[in-house]
Structures are given as structure tokens and as C-alpha cells.
Amino acid sequence: MPEENMRSILFLISRYPGYGGIERVTTLLANQWVKKCKVSICSIIQQAEDELIAKLNSDVKFYKMPYGGLKKSQENVDFLKSIVTNENVDIVIYQDSYFPCQYLLSSIKDCRSWKIIEVEHSSPSGFEIQYKEYVKSIPCWDIYHRFKSWFYNQKSLSNEKRNRRFIYGICDKYVMLAEGLISQCQKYGHIDDNSKFEIIGNPISMDNSSATLSLKKKECLFVGRLDSMKGIDKLMRIWAIVESRVKDWTLVIVGDGIMMPAVKNAIAHYRLEHVCLEGFQADVKRYYQTASIFCMCSIYEGFPMVLPEAMGFGVVPIVFNSFAALDDILVDGEDGVKVTAFDEEAYSENLIAMMSDDVRLKMMQSKALENSRKFCVSSILEKWDELFKNL
């Protein structure tokens, strides 16, 4: 295809490069599309640039906004306009919905011949779920802090409503990562129309061609940030129950965060002897290869890439049923287990039952490996190609 007729795609993202799932998906898609399109990435904030930018195809153009903050910047507006003009951009993919960067879209909306695609990577109900969980920790008599929490939750919901309504109005397509998230987006965005919604899940961003079940050990695996949203405090209480009854399994925790001290305190408090703290790891492939069960206790998620990634290595997920995308990722009892959110006793019982039934575990490992193929790169790229054709 002559270069002047090539599709030109610009990813607009608040942080890139970075260690998160959004950044990994952006890298994967950019590296695939640059084989037949012009691809650019523009970010406001960068994380571990020297290490992570090496994973990006050198043909992908990477731009850094001159102002590295999330407040409105005319300098950033002018910079973005120059990119879309110089790169002859015809598709802008906005990879955020909850960062205050929508003004950048507003700055180019009236003079555009390009299409805008919004991709919602989080759960629209996240703020509400987080609020309800937090309120449980406030005593009934503490009216002041209960009111204060309610007030800030209402403010957050109002901001989210305004942001989503604006983005939905300005974009040409609004991509959700799972079908169940559409109704949430409409509810929290107060959006009546649904004609712009498309469903495209995230691809597995890790090469699992060498995955084998022969390396499996008696290991449970947690991968993620150590914070309350990921439910690491719940997992520590669950594991205390499990370890009191099962002595030959190990919990491997890969990740770091503000709750690392609390995790270490829980290990000491419960006198846990079978927990391995691995800290942050840029490459978690080797942990997927040996783990048998994947533990997720999140309060909420959008579309957690770690689940299909783990399943792609035959790691069976046990997950609190706390987010809509879970139905799109696993089949309860076949390739994973859903547990009523946030029943810690039921979770521990399901975990112990899985550990105690080697036949069932091996069967579900094989199914997880097989069913994860629907998230392979080629399947997801086909959906994107179809969307591009219909713009």
C-alpha cells in the first residue's frame, strides 16, 4: 500500500510507557498495526522509559507532551494538533476515560477529518463499589466520616458522569472490553444511546507458545499491585485459613504497593510459613509456568489482563465475582471458579477443595489453556480490523 494511502493511527494515552495493563496492550497493538499502518503514540507521563520503550517497534513514533501534568495545558494542545497534522492521522485511539485529559480531545474535535475511538479500560462501577467497601470500615456512630465519604463519592460519580457523557458525545466508537460493562457505562454516564458501543477484549500480551502443564507445582499465584482495590488484605486472611489446613502448598505474591508493610505484618501475625514475596517483576512468565492456581480477590476490575494471561499458561483462576467482565473471561466450574463477592470463607473452601482434587485441577488446567485462545492476538486483531472498516 502506498504510504500516502496508509491508515495513520495515533494512541493518545496519559501514561506511556508504563508497567500497567493499558500500556502493555498499547505496545502490543502498536507493534502489530505498524506492520501495515503508520502508528504513533503520544503520552503525558512516562514510567521507566529506557527499559520499557525498548519493547516498542522502532517504526512506531513516540511523542512526549511538553507539559507532564494532568492539568489543562495550551502547550499540550498545540503539540497534539501538530502531531495529527504532521502524521496525517485518521484514527485517534483514546486509551483513558478516567484521567482529566479530555480537554485534549475537545481541542481537536471541531477541525477533524479523523475518527476518535474511546477505549474504556476500567469498570464504570468502580468508584461506587470502592465507596461501599470503604464505608463498611467506618463505625456506624462516626457520622462525620460517613458523610465525608458519601460527599466525595457523589463528587466522583458526578465527575465520571460528565467525563463519560462528553467522551461518548465526541467519539465515533466507544469500545468496552466486555458486554456486561456497556450497561454500567450507560448507567454511570447517564447515556441513553448505545449505537456507538463496540465490544473488543484485551489480547494476551505474553508469548505462551511454550506453555506446558508438566512444570506445574503446588503453588497459588497472586500478580498485581498490593493495595486494597486488588483485595490483597482479603487474600492474606483467606490464606491464613488455607495454610492452617493445607501444609504442602505455597502462595507466591508477585507485585508491590502501599500495602506491602500490611502484607508482611499479616505474615507475622498469622505466622504464615508458606508465602513467598517476590516483589515487583517486569517479567512474570516464569511464575505462570509453575503455578497451578491463580488467586484474584479484587474489589473491582475492568478487564484484568492477568486472568487470560494466567489461563494461557494453564493456571486455574479462583476469583471473587466482583466485576462484569468475568463472565467474558472464564466459565465457572470449567476453566475457573467464581466465588460470591466478598465471601472469604467460601473462597478459602473453594481453594482448599481445588488443592485437594488433583484430577479436577488437571482437567481445569487443560480447559483454561484451551479456552484462553479466544484472547490470542490474531482473534482480537480481527475484531479491530472489522471496527476500522465500519468507521
Side-chain angles (χ1 to χ4, degrees):
M1 180 184 293
E3 185 169 332
E4 61 269 19
N5 294 326
M6 289 179 68
R7 179 180 292 136
S8 181
I9 300 171
L10 170 66
F11 286 98
L12 181 59
I13 180 171
S14 61
R15 184 183 72 181
Y16 188 90
Y19 288 112
I22 300 176
E23 294 87 353
R24 295 208 310 274
V25 169
T26 301
T27 299
L28 188 151
L29 292 177
N31 287 347
Q32 291 293 323
W33 285 336
V34 79
K35 298 172 185 177
K36 57 182 180 180
C37 305
K38 291 174 63 178
V39 181
S40 307
I41 300 174
C42 181
S43 71
I44 299 173
I45 302 167
Q46 295 77 42
Q47 180 184 28
E49 185 177 341
D50 291 340
E51 175 186 352
L52 296 175
I53 206 69
K55 298 180 180 180
L56 187 66
N57 189 303
S58 59
D59 290 330
V60 178
K61 293 186 178 181
F62 172 50
Y63 296 96
K64 295 186 286 186
M65 289 284 189
Y67 170 66
L70 297 179
K71 294 182 179 180
K72 289 185 178 181
S73 164
Q74 184 59 44
E75 195 175 6
N76 284 358
V77 168
D78 296 338
F79 188 73
L80 176 61
K81 287 181 177 179
S82 69
I83 295 173
V84 296
T85 301
N86 295 336
E87 296 297 337
N88 295 314
V89 171
D90 42 28
I91 297 176
V92 176
I93 298 180
Y94 184 56
Q95 289 284 68
D96 290 303
S97 63
Y98 45 91
F99 281 99
C101 307
Q102 292 83 6
Y103 76 94
L104 293 169
L105 294 180
S106 180
S107 70
I108 60 174
K109 71 181 178 70
D110 293 329
C111 54
R112 66 185 176 96
S113 57
W114 48 85
K115 304 293 185 180
I116 295 177
I117 300 174
E118 154 68 13
V119 185
E120 175 89 38
H121 284 277
S122 187
S123 170
S125 63
F127 281 111
E128 186 77 356
I129 295 172
Q130 199 168 25
Y131 162 70
K132 289 179 179 178
E133 282 298 300
Y134 176 70
V135 166
K136 292 178 182 178
S137 66
I138 304 176
C140 296
W141 51 264
D142 193 346
I143 305 300
Y144 170 76
H145 284 100
R146 280 181 167 263
F147 176 78
K148 185 178 179 180
S149 299
W150 174 85
F151 175 80
Y152 281 109
N153 179 63
Q154 293 301 307
K155 185 176 180 180
S156 296
L157 291 176
S158 178
N159 289 337
E160 287 299 295
K161 171 188 171 183
R162 182 175 62 253
N163 290 343
R164 283 195 174 86
R165 285 175 66 88
F166 168 76
I167 295 173
Y168 191 85
I170 199 174
C171 74
D172 296 279
K173 290 292 181 181
Y174 201 117
V175 174
M176 304 299 296
L177 302 180
E179 186 172 2
L181 293 171
I182 292 179
S183 59
Q184 287 187 15
C185 188
Q186 289 186 280
K187 174 184 176 182
Y188 290 96
H190 293 241
I191 299 169
D192 296 326
D193 174 57
N194 64 1
S195 61
K196 295 182 180 181
F197 287 113
E198 298 284 341
I199 303 167
I200 304 179
N202 279 335
I204 295 175
S205 61
M206 189 176 297
D207 178 18
N208 63 349
S209 57
S210 61
T212 174
L213 301 181
S214 62
L215 300 176
K216 295 302 178 187
K217 300 178 181 179
K218 291 185 175 183
E219 290 178 353
C220 294
L221 178 65
F222 170 93
V223 176
R225 297 190 312 276
L226 304 188
D227 62 27
S228 58
M229 193 273 273
K230 296 296 183 181
I232 188 62
D233 52 333
K234 299 179 186 299
L235 180 57
M236 298 312 297
R237 291 191 294 268
I238 289 167
W239 189 256
I241 298 172
V242 172
E243 190 172 306
S244 69
R245 294 164 56 183
V246 179
K247 303 298 184 182
D248 57 346
W249 279 72
T250 299
L251 173 63
V252 179
I253 297 177
V254 178
D256 204 345
I258 59 173
M259 290 191 68
M260 176 62 86
V263 170
K264 291 180 178 179
N265 287 339
I267 292 173
H269 176 75
Y270 295 115
R271 299 182 181 180
L272 302 177
E273 299 178 352
H274 301 286
V275 178
C276 294
L277 297 178
E278 298 294 306
F280 172 79
Q281 301 290 326
D283 184 7
V284 298
K285 183 175 179 177
R286 62 191 176 98
Y287 297 100
Y288 287 140
Q289 287 175 327
T290 59
S292 293
I293 299 174
F294 191 82
C295 295
M296 176 172 276
C297 300
S298 298
I299 304 302
Y300 68 92
E301 294 279 355
F303 188 101
M305 290 181 64
V306 290
L307 277 188
E309 281 179 356
M311 293 168 68
F313 285 88
V315 190
V316 179
I318 297 183
V319 190
F320 277 137
N321 193 8
S322 58
F323 54 98
L326 190 57
D327 292 335
D328 294 54
I329 299 174
L330 62 82
V331 180
D332 187 31
E334 179 177 299
D335 54 13
V337 176
K338 300 176 186 177
V339 180
T340 301
F342 299 96
D343 190 333
E344 296 177 15
E345 183 177 349
Y347 194 110
S348 61
E349 291 299 329
N350 275 278
L351 191 51
I352 292 170
M354 186 71 68
M355 293 171 168
S356 307
D357 192 339
D358 193 54
V359 174
R360 180 188 177 216
L361 177 58
K362 282 184 166 54
M363 179 194 71
M364 294 183 73
Q365 286 173 338
S366 297
K367 273 294 184 182
L369 192 58
E370 176 186 340
N371 293 349
S372 69
R373 294 187 185 122
K374 63 185 176 183
F375 300 109
C376 69
V377 176
S378 59
S379 297
I380 300 302
L381 288 177
E382 286 179 5
K383 295 181 179 181
W384 275 106
D385 287 340
E386 189 65 25
L387 186 152
F388 289 154
K389 290 176 184 177
N390 294 327
L391 278 176

